[in-house]
């Protein structure tokens, strides 16, 4: 009984680990978007800071 239960837990651990793969692929594909949006945000923030200082 314990062997079967250990096997089930091991299989569930493997499948939980495998679920990370699509998430990592998505992070790789979206990293460029995140960098571009961050740069755009920083530019907007600098513009707002310059206009309020003048």
């Amino acid at each position: 009984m314990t062997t079967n239960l250990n096997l089930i837990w091991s299989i569930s651990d493997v499948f939980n680990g495998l679920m990370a793969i699509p998430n990592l692929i998505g992070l790789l594909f979206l990293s460029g978007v995140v960098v571009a949006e961050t740069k755009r945000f920083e530019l907007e923030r600098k513009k707002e800071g310059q206009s309020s200082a003048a």
Side-chain angles (χ1 to χ4, degrees):
M1 178 68 169
T2 344
T3 321
N4 291 337
L5 197 55
N6 286 337
L7 177 65
I8 291 171
W9 278 110
S10 295
I11 290 172
S12 72
D13 287 341
V14 167
F15 282 116
N16 275 331
L18 289 175
M19 286 193 313
I21 293 171
N23 290 326
L24 291 172
I25 292 170
L27 284 173
L28 285 175
F29 281 122
L30 289 174
S31 64
V33 174
V34 171
V35 169
E37 287 297 316
T38 303
K39 286 181 181 177
R40 187 181 66 80
F41 174 76
E42 289 296 327
L43 284 173
E44 293 280 328
R45 198 166 157 212
K46 282 182 184 179
K47 286 179 187 176
E48 287 176 5
Q50 288 174 353
S51 64
S52 65

